[in-house]
Amino acid sequence: MSKISLQGKTAPILSLSDLNFIRRIIVKNWWILILLPLIAYVLGYLYTYRLTIVHKASTEFLIQSDDMYYKNNLVTDANFVNYSTYIDNSNEQRIIQSYDLISEVVTQLKAKLEVSYFIVGKVKTIEQFNGMPFLVEVSSMGPNFYELPFFLKIINSDKYELSYIVNNETKKIIGFFNKTLVTTDFIFNIHASDYNKQFQNNTLQNMLYKFQIHSNEKLISDIRSNLIIENPEYTQILKISLKDILWERAVLVLDTLYNVYSRSKLKSKLELNDRTLDFIDKQLSDITSSLRTIEDTLQNFKTKQSIIDLEWEKNDLFSKIADYDKMKSEVQLELRALKDLEYYIIQDKDPSFLPPSMYVFEKTGFMNRAVSELYEKQIELSRLTGNSTTDNPSVIDLKATIKSTKQNLLTYIVNARNAAFQRIQNIEMEVNAYTYNAKHIPTKQRGIVDIQRKSKVSEDLYNFLLEKKASTKIAKASIVPEVKLIESPRYVGVDSPNIPAIEKQFVTTGFFIAILIVIMRFVFFTKIESVEQLKEVSLLPLIGGLPKIKNQETEGIVTNEIPNSKISEAFRNLRTNLKYINVESELKTILVTSHAPGEGKTFTSVNLANILAKTGKKTIILELDLHKPRVFQRFGYNAPEKGITTYINGQHDINEIIIQSQIDNLFCMLAGPIPPNPSEYILSEKMHELILFVKKNYEFVVIDTPPAGILSDSLYLMQFVDTTIFVLNTKSATKRVVNFVNQIAETNKISTINLVLNEIRRASQRYYYKGYGYSYGYGYGYGYGYGNGYNNYGGYGGYGGYGGYRGYRNSETPKPPNT
């Protein structure tokens, strides 16, 4: 054991008395420290059992995946639309949580989500997703019945009883499985499932089921409020979690959510591709009509001019004119596309309506990139507008970007149009030049050449559009979603409540409450059970300790009946210690009191008087507990008809109330009849005269008085005695009681109060008083050592055990003599 130095000496940090103190607390309160946490754990278990368990499912998406079926020279080729754009993950999170997207999920899962099923138990109602013996199909229902609980009992395999409460009125309906139930409130069709056939009817009849029907708004709101989207830093991954009471339902919703979101990512690209194809088809249709017209014109011209075959002159000249006419047609087609795009930008139409014709002519450069960016930004703005307010920073920034892009496009369109007009002028100048040179060609020949030139131009443009149409269809096949599932929806565990943590809190709380109770018991209710404990709380002299014996309150004078017992030895120690309280003068008058009844003051009085008489000294005991006298019972007398009260009343003289007991040298002065005002007798002058008389005529006077904690009689009588013995009992002695005694001594400045601790337990030492059928606990007094060792108060420790002694006692109850 560690020690510390104190004035050159070493003292243990933790002394033996400290260890005994801790041991006493543990021994007396161990059951509290175990029982309360155990009770708290049971309460925590019952509390958590009734809680609704919320589970969690999770999945992970990879945004902007580069996976494509066909990539080279199509989507990424300069001749085609490049759909690869930057993905803003914060915007994607808003899109996934958008009302429209979740609404689509609910629509697809309505058959599984619309109705919630429950099994109603005595303690807890449990929601089920699968395994119910019936399924509810809702045909129609009033809006007031959404979220209303319906209770169902299965009567047999064909019938059921449906009950619900409307306007505080309980309605019950008997229905048949697999048949439509029609009421003014709703139309249901409750089907018997396969599980109904697997169970015995008596098993299902003993169970109560409940179901609730949810509106789309409720389902959408629940999913959105329990959907959690996280974006790990520096990644394009979205971790999506969903909390639900049923984990199977959460997994199903997440799986459907991925499919809906993936399709929504493809939608804009597919729509753009389809509109491009529609534009090409329209142009092909126009060119086909133009070719037919040219062919008809050529045939009519040949017929009218009677031309069968012509030899062309200056093929090179006409070939060049044809090439320039083709160039002029392409430029004019480009002008129409620029006009459509300019009209779209200025009119600010729905972003889904984007004229795709410029993709046919713009192969590379700013126009291609700017239009793609404008289209994607407008689609993104449309999505954000549905989920955010107009003052959202993302919406404001996106609008500014769109406006800037439009301004750049308009500027570019103006410049491109001017350049196209300039090219047309140049082409016309060249054509005019070649035409002028061809004036000498014969009129018929020139007419055929003009018609054939127009036909060639239309055929070339037709072939060009067919090529673009084929490329666009191939590009459509290569379009894949910009999202990839990298972790399938799966159950990840319980989200709330944290049952082990709650149970731990209950146990911890129970433990702290147990500690608090132990502290309160120690501070307010701890009983003093040994002389060591009594010394710790009081500085008053402790002159004796009496071992516990059975039936102490009803037993006679034990020290006379069993003189060699340890209880007798304890009283001898008490007698010895009384001699050493004041070595200068002998203490003759001794007052015995206690804090409350039942602590052993009368037991101590009569046995102390007996022990004093055994020394050959003339001793008398005064029964001054006039409220509840008990001394006469200890001597085996009947209630006396004369005594101290009759003396004070003047009915008898002092000598008439003195009784010679059956014990040598021991006399008694009993209380006599109990008066209506006992305290007035104590305060009388004759009582003072009586005490002076016995002090003068007897060598020892023992006065038994009422409990000081209830009556003040003993406090008054303390002024007439040499010393006071305050009896404390281990059954009731607490710090409060000891403080009461200390306060009496301090307040009244009484220095003659001495303490005696009664009923000290020593479990390992017992003997039996067989002669009378009583057993007395052995023990050695108040703990000053075994054998004949000299104790702290100048007395001797108790002797060794003595048992089997059969005492003698007169079977007849003696009566007090007349004198």
Side-chain angles (χ1 to χ4, degrees):
M1 182 181 296
S2 300
K3 297 184 178 182
I4 59 174
S5 177
L6 183 62
Q7 295 181 352
K9 299 181 179 180
T10 59
I13 296 177
L14 198 62
S15 64
L16 184 60
S17 61
D18 295 331
L19 293 175
N20 289 333
F21 171 75
I22 296 173
R23 181 189 60 81
R24 288 198 306 268
I25 293 179
I26 294 175
V27 168
K28 287 183 174 295
N29 300 283
W30 64 268
W31 59 275
I32 298 177
L33 297 174
I34 295 177
L35 182 61
L36 279 184
L38 183 62
I39 293 174
Y41 173 78
V42 173
L43 293 177
Y45 174 80
L46 296 176
Y47 173 76
T48 54
Y49 178 76
R50 293 181 61 86
L51 291 177
T52 300
I53 307 300
V54 178
H55 302 275
K56 191 175 185 180
S58 176
T59 185
E60 290 187 4
F61 300 168
L62 175 62
I63 306 299
Q64 201 176 9
S65 171
D66 292 332
D67 293 345
M68 293 184 182
Y69 172 72
Y70 188 85
K71 189 171 182 180
N72 293 332
N73 298 323
L74 289 174
V75 175
T76 59
D77 187 73
N79 294 332
F80 299 95
V81 180
N82 186 353
Y83 297 115
S84 179
T85 58
Y86 173 73
I87 302 298
D88 186 350
N89 288 340
S90 62
N91 292 336
E92 294 303 312
Q93 295 179 35
R94 298 294 298 273
I95 291 171
I96 293 174
Q97 287 184 307
S98 66
Y99 181 92
D100 292 340
L101 198 69
I102 302 301
S103 177
E104 180 64 24
V105 173
V106 171
T107 300
Q108 293 191 19
L109 296 177
K110 187 172 183 179
K112 292 184 176 292
L113 302 183
E114 185 179 23
V115 182
S116 293
Y117 301 91
F118 303 86
I119 297 177
V120 180
K122 294 181 179 179
V123 179
K124 185 178 182 180
T125 298
I126 302 175
E127 185 174 359
Q128 297 289 321
F129 190 66
N130 297 311
M132 294 296 288
F134 63 92
L135 297 174
V136 180
E137 179 184 349
V138 182
S139 298
S140 66
M141 187 179 67
N144 296 332
F145 288 85
Y146 285 116
E147 312 309 324
L148 181 73
F150 292 87
F151 295 92
L152 187 142
K153 286 185 178 180
I154 297 176
I155 299 176
N156 53 44
S157 59
D158 298 323
K159 291 193 301 182
Y160 60 84
E161 179 188 82
L162 184 67
S163 61
Y164 58 97
I165 300 175
V166 178
N167 298 326
N168 296 324
E169 178 185 355
T170 301
K171 294 185 178 182
K172 294 185 178 181
I173 302 173
I174 301 297
F176 294 88
F177 287 113
N178 304 319
K179 292 186 179 180
T180 303
L181 178 64
V182 180
T183 69
T184 56
D185 299 325
F186 51 79
I187 300 177
F188 291 164
N189 193 341
I190 300 179
H191 303 276
S193 67
D194 295 336
Y195 294 96
N196 197 337
K197 302 175 184 178
Q198 297 176 6
F199 292 96
Q200 298 294 330
N201 285 335
N202 56 356
T203 302
L204 298 177
Q205 290 172 3
N206 295 329
M207 302 182 71
L208 177 63
Y209 300 95
K210 183 180 79 169
F211 65 87
Q212 288 178 286
I213 301 169
H214 309 295
S215 64
N216 283 2
E217 296 295 330
K218 174 68 165 52
L219 294 172
I220 294 171
S221 175
D222 288 346
I223 293 175
R224 294 183 69 190
S225 61
N226 291 295
L227 194 65
I228 303 171
I229 304 177
E230 300 173 301
N231 179 207
E233 195 172 6
Y234 307 119
T235 68
Q236 289 291 90
I237 294 175
L238 293 182
K239 182 177 181 181
I240 303 175
S241 303
L242 181 64
K243 296 184 289 186
D244 200 321
I245 296 174
L246 302 173
W247 67 267
E248 302 98 328
R249 183 167 59 195
V251 170
L252 180 62
V253 170
L254 288 180
D255 184 64
T256 307
L257 177 63
Y258 168 74
N259 294 329
V260 172
Y261 176 64
S262 178
R263 286 196 299 270
S264 70
K265 297 292 290 181
L266 285 175
K267 185 177 180 181
S268 61
K269 298 178 178 59
L270 293 175
E271 286 179 353
L272 181 59
N273 190 282
D274 291 339
R275 292 186 182 279
T276 302
L277 289 173
D278 291 341
F279 176 80
I280 293 175
D281 289 338
K282 183 179 178 181
Q283 296 298 320
L284 287 173
S285 177
D286 293 341
I287 294 173
T288 301
S289 299
S290 177
L291 285 173
R292 289 174 183 172
T293 302
I294 292 172
E295 290 176 356
D296 293 340
T297 302
L298 179 60
Q299 185 63 36
N300 292 334
F301 181 79
K302 287 182 177 181
T303 302
K304 185 176 179 180
Q305 299 295 332
S306 300
I307 298 175
I308 299 175
D309 188 14
L310 293 175
E311 201 177 305
W312 300 100
E313 297 179 359
K314 300 181 181 180
N315 290 329
D316 182 67
L317 176 65
F318 290 111
S319 176
K320 290 180 179 180
I321 293 174
D323 292 336
Y324 279 111
D325 286 339
K326 176 184 176 183
M327 292 172 59
K328 182 178 178 181
S329 297
E330 290 179 354
V331 173
Q332 288 174 342
L333 186 60
E334 181 180 349
L335 285 172
R336 288 199 299 272
L338 290 173
K339 183 178 180 181
D340 292 341
L341 179 60
E342 183 182 38
Y343 180 78
Y344 164 75
I345 295 173
I346 295 174
Q347 294 297 322
D348 197 15
K349 285 193 173 184
D350 181 11
S352 62
F353 181 74
L354 175 61
S357 57
M358 76 287 182
Y359 292 114
V360 179
F361 306 98
E362 179 75 9
K363 298 181 179 180
T364 58
F366 171 80
M367 179 70 73
N368 189 352
R369 294 192 303 272
V371 172
S372 298
E373 180 182 357
L374 176 62
Y375 183 79
E376 292 295 332
K377 292 296 181 181
Q378 287 185 321
I379 293 296
E380 183 177 353
L381 177 62
S382 178
R383 292 177 180 174
L384 285 179
T385 304
N387 298 282
S388 306
T389 59
T390 57
D391 56 352
N392 186 290
S394 296
V395 174
I396 294 173
D397 293 340
L398 199 55
K399 286 183 177 181
T401 303
I402 292 173
K403 183 177 180 181
S404 176
T405 304
K406 285 183 176 182
Q407 186 65 39
N408 294 335
L409 276 172
L410 289 174
T411 302
Y412 185 88
I413 289 171
V414 172
N415 295 333
R417 184 187 291 116
N418 293 334
F421 284 138
Q422 185 64 43
R423 290 199 306 274
I424 289 175
Q425 290 178 3
N426 295 335
I427 292 172
E428 288 178 347
M429 291 175 62
E430 294 294 331
V431 170
N432 291 334
Y434 286 112
T435 303
Y436 176 79
N437 294 329
K439 284 183 179 180
H440 298 289
I441 298 175
T443 303
K444 292 182 181 180
Q445 187 179 16
R446 189 170 59 248
I448 292 175
V449 170
D450 288 340
I451 294 172
Q452 289 179 342
R453 183 184 63 197
K454 292 178 181 179
S455 177
K456 187 176 186 304
V457 169
S458 296
E459 288 176 356
D460 291 343
L461 184 57
Y462 186 84
N463 293 330
F464 171 77
L465 291 175
L466 284 177
E467 180 184 353
K468 294 304 179 183
K469 182 177 180 179
S471 301
T472 304
K473 287 185 176 180
I474 296 174
K476 182 178 181 179
S478 69
I479 297 174
V480 296
E482 291 180 352
V483 57
K484 180 181 179 181
L485 184 67
I486 61 174
E487 185 175 293
S488 299
R490 62 183 180 86
Y491 175 58
V492 296
V494 175
D495 180 74
S496 65
N498 190 339
I499 294 179
I502 293 176
E503 291 177 346
K504 184 178 179 181
Q505 290 176 359
F506 269 85
V507 173
T508 303
T509 303
F511 184 73
F512 279 112
I513 292 175
I515 292 177
L516 182 61
I517 292 176
V518 169
I519 293 174
M520 293 180 63
R521 279 169 53 88
F522 170 73
V523 174
F524 299 104
F525 304 102
T526 298
K527 295 176 183 177
I528 297 171
E529 298 181 346
S530 67
V531 293
E532 291 84 358
Q533 293 178 253
L534 185 54
K535 291 177 185 178
E536 293 174 359
V537 295
S538 178
L539 296 177
L540 295 175
L542 176 61
I543 61 173
L546 307 177
K548 176 180 174 58
I549 65 172
K550 292 185 178 180
N551 304 317
Q552 186 184 97
E553 291 298 316
T554 58
E555 191 55 56
I557 305 174
V558 179
T559 54
N560 184 59
E561 296 167 354
I562 313 177
N564 293 326
S565 64
K566 283 204 170 184
I567 186 69
S568 300
E569 189 62 30
F571 275 103
R572 294 188 188 98
N573 290 335
L574 177 59
R575 179 186 63 191
T576 302
N577 291 336
L578 282 172
K579 294 181 179 180
Y580 288 93
I581 292 175
N582 191 344
V583 295
E584 297 179 356
S585 61
E586 188 175 12
L587 303 177
K588 297 179 57 179
T589 309
I590 304 168
L591 182 145
V592 181
T593 186
S594 64
H595 178 263
E599 293 191 282
K601 65 175 182 59
T602 301
F603 171 78
T604 303
S605 300
V606 296
N607 283 282
L608 177 61
N610 174 69
I611 289 296
L612 292 173
K614 293 295 184 181
T615 62
K617 300 293 181 71
K618 188 178 180 182
T619 306
I620 187 169
I621 180 170
L622 272 62
E623 190 178 25
L624 290 186
D625 187 355
L626 304 182
H627 297 265
K628 194 175 181 180
R630 290 290 184 270
V631 172
F632 71 92
Q633 295 177 350
R634 294 286 177 173
F635 285 93
Y637 300 144
N638 293 322
E641 297 179 356
K642 61 181 179 178
I644 296 173
T645 57
T646 59
Y647 161 73
I648 295 176
N649 287 335
Q651 298 178 15
H652 298 91
D653 294 333
I654 289 181
N655 293 327
E656 291 180 309
I657 63 174
I658 298 174
I659 301 173
Q660 170 67 56
S661 71
Q662 64 270 34
I663 300 172
D664 294 339
N665 300 317
L666 181 58
F667 297 85
C668 300
M669 191 176 288
L670 304 179
I674 300 175
N677 53 344
S679 295
E680 298 296 331
Y681 280 67
I682 296 296
L683 299 175
S684 66
E685 184 63 27
K686 296 193 70 175
M687 177 63 71
H688 187 201
E689 295 174 358
L690 184 146
I691 294 174
L692 293 176
F693 173 82
V694 295
K695 290 175 69 174
K696 180 179 180 181
N697 292 279
Y698 293 89
E699 294 177 90
F700 287 110
V701 179
V702 179
I703 303 176
D704 183 61
T705 62
I710 299 176
L711 299 169
S712 60
D713 295 7
S714 58
L715 298 179
Y716 172 76
L717 294 172
M718 286 181 188
Q719 61 183 316
F720 304 119
V721 300
D722 298 325
T723 188
T724 298
I725 295 178
F726 209 107
V727 179
L728 301 175
N729 196 299
T730 57
K731 295 185 300 183
S732 57
T734 63
K735 289 184 178 181
R736 183 179 61 84
V737 174
V738 176
N739 290 336
F740 171 79
V741 180
N742 294 336
Q743 188 176 5
I744 288 177
E746 182 179 353
T747 303
N748 299 281
K749 300 186 183 304
I750 302 174
S751 59
T752 59
I753 295 179
N754 304 281
L755 303 179
V756 170
L757 186 60
N758 188 22
E759 293 200 44
I760 299 175
R761 294 174 177 82
R762 286 292 182 267
S764 61
Q765 300 178 6
R766 297 180 182 274
Y767 75 99
Y768 301 92
Y769 178 31
K770 298 182 180 179
Y772 293 88
Y774 303 117
S775 63
Y776 299 97
Y778 264 64
Y780 62 92
Y782 52 97
Y784 298 129
Y786 294 97
N788 295 324
Y790 196 77
N791 60 36
N792 293 338
Y793 291 97
Y796 292 90
Y799 293 101
Y802 176 84
Y805 175 81
R806 297 182 178 272
Y808 171 79
R809 185 173 179 179
N810 193 337
S811 60
E812 296 182 358
T813 303
K815 299 180 180 180
N818 294 329
T819 59

